[in-house]
Each structure stands twice: as C-alpha cells, then as structure tokens.
Amino acid sequence: MMPRMQAEDISNNQNPVSHLDQLVREHPDFEVLCEPTVDLYGFRYVPNRLAEHKNQRDVQQLLDRLNEEIVERAQSECFAPVSVVRVLGSVAIHISIHADRTAREDIAATFDAIARWGWLCNKKYLSSVVI
C-alpha cells in the first residue's frame, strides 16, 4: 500500500494536492488512479462513453494513448509541470506540486487545460471507436 499524506494535510483546504484531488474527483471524465501522497498523485482522463469498458484491453490501450496526447498538448499551457507516469499499469497524468510554491490557482488553471485537451483529444480518438 502506498504511503498517504497525513489526514490533517488532506483535509486542509489550502493544500494544493487536496485541491487537485477534489477537482479530479468532481469531474465526470477523470478518475483517480492512486490516493494522493506527497510524492505522487496519478489520475487519468476516461470519457464517460468508455468508463464501463475501461478494463477491455483495446480500450486500455486507447486510454493510454489518449492520456499521453493530452499531456503532450497541455504542457505548453500549464502553470505547473505536467508529465506522464505509470500507475497500476496504466498511463496516468501527474502534476508536479510543491506545497510551498504551487498556488491553488495554478493547479486549477493546469487542470482546466488538461480537461480542455481531454475533451478535444477525445473527439479525435472516439470518432473511430465502436463500442
């Protein structure tokens, strides 16, 4: 099991990791791949249309490609560094957060850019998918 942040850190509304976690959990097209820790928070874009099929191998591969492209395209617009990481065998999105110097506004703007690119890339990839 991965180490978790202390309970008071997660519940603190000023904590940027907990703010990101809230944004991800509230958005219908994203899923959390690991609980927030000081060092790692992995999430990915999973469009509603694919959510119930996400365990199928071809859909997993599509989601991996989709999330890689989202990160590639969003990097130029993000206020916090964004990268691809592997979590539980899946491509995930990681935003580099430094509690002492990453503002909540930067987290929100970065997540908005990722969500926008998710929607745009989703249109491209899902136009050819038959489920």
Side-chain angles (χ1 to χ4, degrees), residues 11 17 31 48 59 72 93 103 112 118 121 123:
S11 65
V17 175
E31 75 173 350
N48 278 334
V59 174
E72 180 182 314
I93 300 169
D112 287 346
C121 292
K123 288 173 45 175

Side-chain angles (χ1 to χ4, degrees), residues 14 16 79-80 95-107:
Q14 299 305 312
F79 293 93
I95 298 175
S96 182
I97 298 173
H98 302 281
D100 59 337
R101 62 180 193 248
T102 304
R104 287 171 52 96
E105 296 80 17
D106 291 346
I107 296 298

Side-chain angles (χ1 to χ4, degrees), residues 20 23-33 41 43-48 54 67 70 93 110-119:
L20 175 59
L23 292 171
V24 171
R25 289 180 192 274
E26 290 177 354
H27 196 291
D29 289 328
F30 285 88
E31 75 173 350
V32 174
L33 290 179
Y41 181 68
F43 63 97
R44 70 179 180 163
Y45 185 81
V46 179
N48 278 334
K54 68 182 181 183
N67 280 275
I70 290 167
I93 300 169
T110 298
F111 182 76
D112 287 346
I114 290 167
R116 184 176 56 258
W117 277 108
W119 183 79

Side-chain angles (χ1 to χ4, degrees), residues 27-109:
H27 196 291
D29 289 328
F30 285 88
E31 75 173 350
V32 174
L33 290 179
C34 63
E35 291 301 314
T37 68
V38 174
D39 300 324
L40 178 64
Y41 181 68
F43 63 97
R44 70 179 180 163
Y45 185 81
V46 179
N48 278 334
R49 181 176 169 204
L50 295 181
E52 67 184 59
H53 304 283
K54 68 182 181 183
N55 293 326
Q56 296 174 3
R57 184 178 167 95
D58 57 334
V59 174
Q60 289 173 354
Q61 291 171 343
L62 174 67
L63 289 171
D64 284 350
R65 286 194 313 271
L66 178 60
N67 280 275
E68 286 171 343
E69 185 167 342
I70 290 167
V71 168
E72 180 182 314
R73 295 188 181 273
Q75 284 177 332
S76 64
E77 296 178 36
C78 294
F79 293 93
V82 178
S83 60
V84 170
V85 295
R86 283 216 167 256
V87 177
L88 303 173
S90 296
V91 169
I93 300 169
H94 175 259
I95 298 175
S96 182
I97 298 173
H98 302 281
D100 59 337
R101 62 180 193 248
T102 304
R104 287 171 52 96
E105 296 80 17
D106 291 346
I107 296 298

